[in-house]
Amino acid sequence: MRSRPRNPLNRMNVKQQLLLLFLMIIIPLFILNAYGNYRADQILKRHVTNAYIELNKQNFRLINRDIEAVNKVTSTVFQNSLLQQLNPLSTDETILQRVKNYEQLENLLTTYSQETDEREPLYYSLYVYDPQDTYSFAPYYPGPKKSGVYFFSEDEKPEWFDEAVEKKGKGYLRLVEHLSPPSKGQGDQRTLAYIRAINNIYRNGTIGVLVVTNLDARIQESLQTVSLPEGELYFTNWSNQVLTAQSNDYGERLELPAEVADMGMTSGVKDVITSEYIYVVNYNHVLQQKLIYKVPVQALLHQQKEIKQVIQLISIVFFVGSLIFMLYFWRSLMMPIQKLVYFVRRYEPGNIVPETPRREKNDEISVLMRSIYDMARRLNALVHYQYTMDLKQKESQLQLLYQQINPHLLYNTLESIYWKSRMEGNTASAEMIKELSKLMKISLSRGRELITLAEELEHASAYIKLQQHRYDYQFRISIDIPEELLPVSIPKITLQPLIENAIIHGVKHMGEDGEISIRAAADGDNLLIFLEDNGYKCVDYEKINRLLSTEHPDPSSGYGIRNIHQRIRLHFGDGYGLRYSGSEEGGTRVMIKLPKSIQEQR
């Protein structure tokens, strides 16, 4: 038969079940709260990121439009006939012609550098290599916010000039630290420049390099139109070098997550949400440019803080309310129940019952507590009454038993003295009277109900001697009692009735062949005394044992051995008493079972 699965709640007490119920109410609340906040954060991040992607696209288009406008202006300058005719190596021109050409080019570049829509101006400058110093009259003090035509010699060549020439007329953005050698430069010359080499369309070779400066200010102007909460905007090249940013405080290179650090040879928009930042990167491989939005997640989620605080406040109020309700419920219900359980577990019938705990309420718990305490007091009264009645009953039974024993013993003893006195002289009668006095002395035992085994053996020996004086023939008596068992307590007048039965019903007519043995042995905490005879009569041992155990015996069956059995049980309990059986050598054996207890002598 398959066993039914056990319910684990059955192993828990009420306190544990209440705690489990409280946790089952509170824990899902906090789990749902945490999950709701997490999902709200994720949804907000995704929606805001999508908005930033569209904003980034528009912003990137505006920046590319400005760069494309610069590229168109440089193309126009590129095709200018005055610029195409510029040749510092030519020896056909006079100094005056060179000065006029210089002025015209200066005016041309200054014209392009002027802005009419109040935006940040861009400064167009032309750098021409003049190894023979034919334009020595032209000043060479370029600046990021200054347009002009600059002729330089070999030792004044800018570091980026050869790089621009190698690109063969392809314009590109470059972060320029110096427009002229540091020894020649004046002040801070750091700027984002659009650089493009001007090639001669009539003959091979490079005329110079056209540099458009202050482009970082123009791009910053476009970036300032975008408002990000504590966010950062960066405009970088393909290797993530920062060309310009929304704020002036930025590093040389921007560290990006691996997902957007290397885009390969593609163009598009990609976003990455990390635990700290949201990155939106618009990249164009053809232009080798990136526009990066870097927004702190905490700043983004700051807008949700008030909603989260409200939700958390509701959760805390619910938790505190549940806790207060739990404590009230615990104090109102569980504490009285625990006190009641503690009282019931420790209470034993007969012990003093403490005063009933006072409760102002009149609910079921109060009724239950009063009922149990009152029931315990009634049970105590019943136990005390029953105990008193049992003591009185035992005392009455003992008195009745002893009253039955004393006349019977006295009658038999006097009969023995009577017959012996008739058959012998005064000496034997005196001896019997002496034994009788010893027998009576031990039987009284100064009012004690329990005597030592040694005293009981002395009492039995006195009786045996009286019986041996009575009969002309002799029977043998053997006693084997270890000395350590002699102090054990035994109800008085226990062995004498058993010896009397062994004589009358066993060895009375056997003469010298009759034998009675008395021996004792310890069995754990018990004492076993065996009294055996070698009588030849048939005995119904089952009937004798039934007589010992029956509650209402037949008066005609006698009361001697049952008297002994009942006295032993009254003193020590139902597990002790007499047991009759046949002896191994024939005859009858009676076993007396007593507890091995030693009482102090008084």
Side-chain angles (χ1 to χ4, degrees):
M1 183 176 180
R2 297 180 61 184
S3 60
R4 298 176 59 185
R6 293 184 178 180
N7 187 355
L9 294 178
N10 294 338
R11 303 180 182 179
M12 303 172 64
N13 55 34
V14 177
K15 179 174 73 173
Q16 293 171 337
Q17 292 183 18
L18 285 177
L19 289 175
L20 179 61
L21 177 62
F22 179 73
L23 293 177
M24 290 179 65
I25 294 174
I26 295 301
I27 291 178
L29 173 68
F30 285 100
I31 292 176
L32 291 175
N33 185 14
Y35 178 75
N37 288 334
Y38 170 77
R39 288 297 301 162
D41 291 346
Q42 295 299 318
I43 293 172
L44 178 63
K45 289 177 186 178
R46 176 44 51 197
H47 283 294
V48 172
T49 301
N50 293 337
Y52 285 156
I53 290 174
E54 296 301 322
L55 184 62
N56 187 292
K57 289 179 180 179
Q58 296 178 9
N59 202 186
F60 198 50
R61 280 196 294 267
L62 291 175
I63 294 173
N64 287 335
R65 187 181 64 183
D66 289 338
I67 296 174
E68 185 62 26
V70 171
N71 185 59
K72 289 181 179 180
V73 173
T74 57
S75 298
T76 303
V77 176
F78 185 96
Q79 297 173 7
N80 188 276
S81 59
L82 183 62
L83 181 60
Q84 287 293 325
Q85 293 174 5
L86 181 63
N87 185 8
L89 299 179
S90 175
T91 57
D92 297 335
E93 296 177 330
T94 62
I95 296 296
L96 182 58
Q97 288 177 333
R98 291 193 181 101
V99 171
K100 289 181 179 181
N101 291 338
Y102 170 75
E103 290 179 350
Q104 290 176 358
L105 288 174
E106 279 273 343
N107 294 332
L108 175 66
L109 296 178
T110 301
T111 302
Y112 286 119
S113 300
Q114 295 178 353
E115 290 291 338
T116 60
D117 54 358
E118 297 182 356
R119 299 188 65 191
E120 281 288 336
L122 300 177
Y123 299 95
Y124 292 79
S125 299
L126 179 63
Y127 291 80
V128 181
Y129 180 49
D130 185 14
Q132 298 178 3
D133 200 17
T134 55
Y135 285 82
S136 59
F137 55 85
Y140 188 61
Y141 295 106
K145 295 185 177 182
K146 183 179 180 183
S147 62
V149 181
Y150 304 103
F151 297 88
F152 59 87
S153 59
E154 182 67 30
D155 58 344
E156 296 175 331
K157 182 186 297 185
E159 58 184 5
W160 38 264
F161 186 84
D162 291 337
E163 177 186 81
V165 173
E166 290 178 359
K167 292 187 179 291
K168 298 179 180 181
K170 180 180 179 182
Y172 66 100
L173 294 177
R174 190 185 195 281
L175 191 61
V176 176
E177 295 291 341
H178 301 284
L179 294 172
S180 62
S183 60
K184 298 289 184 178
Q186 299 176 358
D188 183 14
Q189 294 186 328
R190 182 184 177 90
T191 183
L192 177 62
Y194 181 85
I195 302 175
R196 183 176 182 181
I198 305 299
N199 297 323
N200 195 312
I201 59 177
Y202 302 108
R203 60 181 181 274
N204 294 331
T206 301
I207 298 174
V209 174
L210 187 61
V211 179
V212 183
T213 58
N214 203 33
L215 195 59
D216 49 347
R218 174 64 67 85
I219 295 177
Q220 279 186 356
E221 189 178 50
S222 298
L223 297 180
Q224 293 296 337
T225 60
V226 179
S227 177
L228 298 181
E230 300 181 18
E232 302 171 2
L233 280 72
Y234 297 94
F235 187 69
T236 71
N237 59 15
W238 201 250
S239 59
N240 299 325
Q241 181 186 16
V242 179
L243 301 178
T244 186
Q246 190 179 46
S247 63
N248 293 324
D249 185 16
Y250 55 87
E252 294 184 359
R253 187 173 296 276
L254 181 63
E255 296 295 332
L256 297 176
E259 295 87 345
V260 293
D262 186 8
M263 300 298 181
M265 300 179 66
T266 59
S267 298
V269 182
K270 190 170 184 179
D271 64 277
V272 174
I273 302 176
T274 65
S275 59
E276 297 181 357
Y277 295 98
I278 296 176
Y279 294 90
V280 178
V281 181
N282 198 329
Y283 52 97
N284 191 317
H285 182 263
V286 176
L287 300 178
Q288 295 287 294
Q289 298 166 2
K290 296 179 183 178
L291 179 60
I292 302 170
Y293 286 3
K294 182 181 177 182
V295 183
V297 173
Q298 291 301 324
L300 180 64
L301 299 179
H302 181 74
Q303 302 172 3
Q304 283 189 297
K305 185 174 295 184
E306 294 184 0
I307 299 177
K308 288 184 178 180
Q309 289 176 350
V310 172
I311 296 176
Q312 290 174 356
L313 179 61
I314 294 174
S315 300
I316 293 173
V317 169
F318 181 80
F319 173 76
V320 173
S322 300
L323 184 61
I324 293 174
F325 175 76
M326 187 73 180
L327 293 176
Y328 172 80
F329 186 76
W330 191 276
R331 184 175 179 182
S332 177
L333 179 62
M334 287 307 302
M335 289 183 65
I337 290 179
Q338 286 180 333
K339 291 180 180 179
L340 192 59
V341 170
Y342 178 78
F343 168 73
V344 171
R345 285 180 176 175
R346 293 179 59 88
Y347 170 73
E348 292 182 1
N351 290 349
I352 298 176
V353 178
E355 183 180 355
T356 304
R358 293 183 178 180
R359 280 176 59 87
E360 298 178 356
K361 300 180 180 181
N362 195 25
D363 54 7
E364 291 81 357
I365 300 298
S366 302
V367 174
L368 180 62
M369 291 184 68
R370 288 195 296 268
S371 300
I372 290 180
Y373 275 82
D374 292 343
M375 181 178 65
R377 294 188 183 94
R378 291 194 298 270
L379 182 60
N380 277 359
L382 181 61
V383 168
H384 288 304
Y385 175 77
Q386 185 67 32
Y387 179 73
T388 303
M389 295 303 295
D390 288 344
L391 286 179
K392 290 182 178 180
Q393 182 181 7
K394 288 184 178 182
E395 290 176 358
S396 300
Q397 290 177 349
L398 286 173
Q399 291 298 327
L400 178 61
L401 291 173
Y402 283 123
Q403 289 173 4
Q404 292 173 347
I405 291 172
N406 290 334
H408 182 71
L409 175 63
L410 182 60
Y411 174 80
N412 289 337
T413 304
L414 291 177
E415 185 181 9
S416 298
I417 294 174
Y418 170 76
W419 285 105
K420 199 65 178 177
S421 297
R422 290 182 60 182
M423 296 173 64
E424 296 184 355
N426 294 332
T427 302
S429 298
E431 184 68 22
M432 293 182 69
I433 293 172
K434 179 181 178 181
E435 296 296 335
L436 177 61
S437 64
K438 184 185 296 186
L439 188 65
M440 294 297 295
K441 181 180 179 181
I442 297 174
S443 298
L444 292 174
S445 302
R446 292 177 293 180
R448 289 182 294 146
E449 301 297 336
L450 297 176
I451 60 176
T452 63
L453 180 58
E455 292 175 325
E456 178 67 14
L457 288 174
E458 186 178 359
H459 174 273
S461 298
Y463 174 77
I464 291 171
K465 289 180 181 179
L466 285 173
Q467 295 300 320
Q468 287 177 338
H469 282 300
R470 176 180 178 180
Y471 297 107
D472 292 335
Y473 45 84
Q474 298 289 325
F475 53 84
R476 297 189 305 276
I477 293 291
S478 62
I479 300 176
D480 182 14
I481 306 294
E483 279 190 32
E484 63 270 14
L485 301 179
L486 293 177
V488 177
S489 298
I490 183 174
K492 62 183 179 181
I493 316 178
T494 297
L495 296 179
Q496 181 270 326
L498 301 178
I499 294 173
E500 180 182 0
N501 283 344
I503 294 173
I504 295 175
H505 302 291
V507 300
K508 180 177 180 180
H509 303 292
M510 294 180 66
E512 295 181 354
D513 295 331
E515 182 178 0
I516 298 175
S517 66
I518 303 173
R519 58 187 178 87
D523 183 18
D525 294 332
N526 298 323
L527 170 66
L528 302 179
I529 302 175
F530 299 93
L531 193 148
E532 300 182 19
D533 64 66
N534 59 349
Y536 55 86
K537 292 183 179 181
C538 294
V539 180
D540 189 351
Y541 301 112
E542 293 184 1
K543 182 178 180 181
I544 296 176
N545 291 326
R546 285 196 303 271
L547 174 67
L548 294 176
S549 59
T550 184
E551 294 292 336
H552 304 285
D554 184 3
S556 61
S557 301
Y559 54 82
I561 59 175
R562 188 175 185 279
N563 182 295
I564 299 172
H565 183 69
Q566 291 296 324
R567 283 192 295 119
I568 293 175
R569 295 180 69 181
L570 285 172
H571 278 293
F572 303 118
D574 294 341
Y576 301 96
L578 304 181
R579 184 71 180 174
Y580 274 83
S581 63
S583 175
E584 296 177 357
E585 298 178 358
T588 301
R589 173 193 292 174
V590 58
M591 181 186 72
I592 309 170
K593 184 178 180 182
L594 302 168
K596 193 171 65 175
S597 60
I598 299 176
Q599 294 186 350
E600 295 182 359
Q601 299 296 323
R602 293 182 294 178

